[in-house]
């Protein structure tokens, strides 16, 4: 995989991650579904295990406010294999601070989040 291809893959995953954090995207289940892999699993900062259905229930309920969007910093990514990108970043959601890690994979319909984990920090 050439350098340009790696950069494009990482940027596609970053773009997807930021869209999933966007309150306007989160409010529309069809838009969230476009970004989550059908086999998506998350181990949340709360310790809860999430799947596509449980995430949709929360995101459509306004889990991120347009007035107080999630603040993201230190986002970086690496291509683990062709079609697989690992992202890490720091997120502050109204004072709830966590390190976040996501795996994105390229599918026939585009880049989709396959796995996500959050770990609370002080």
């Amino acid at each position: 995989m050439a350098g340009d291809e790696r950069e494009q893959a990482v940027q596609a995953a970053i773009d997807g991650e930021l869209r999933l954090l966007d309150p306007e995207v989160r409010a529309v289940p069809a838009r969230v579904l476009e970004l989550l892999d059908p086999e998506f699993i998350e181990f949340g900062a709360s310790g809860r295990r999430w799947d596509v259905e449980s995430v949709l229930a929360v995101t459509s309920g306004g889990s991120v406010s347009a007035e107080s969007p999630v603040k993201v910093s230190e986002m970086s990514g690496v291509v683990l294999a062709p079609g697989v990108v690992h992202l890490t970043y720091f997120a502050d959601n109204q004072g709830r601070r966590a390190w976040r890690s996501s795996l994105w994979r390229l599918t026939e319909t585009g880049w989709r989040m396959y796995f996500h984990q959050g770990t609370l920090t002080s």
Side-chain angles (χ1 to χ4, degrees), residues 42-48 89-101 116-122:
E42 174 179 344
F43 297 131
S46 64
R48 181 174 173 187
Y89 61 98
F90 188 77
D92 184 334
N93 186 3
Q94 299 180 37
R96 189 164 192 251
R97 300 158 38 100
W99 285 105
R100 300 273 174 185
S101 175
H116 186 80
Q117 183 166 355
T119 303
L120 290 178
T121 185
S122 53

Side-chain angles (χ1 to χ4, degrees), residues 20-29 32 54-70 93-94:
L20 279 172
L21 292 170
D22 182 332
E24 290 182 22
V25 171
R26 293 171 73 90
V28 181
V32 174
S54 57
V55 165
L56 286 177
V58 171
T59 58
S60 61
S63 60
V64 174
S65 142
E67 294 79 37
S68 305
V70 175
N93 186 3
Q94 299 180 37

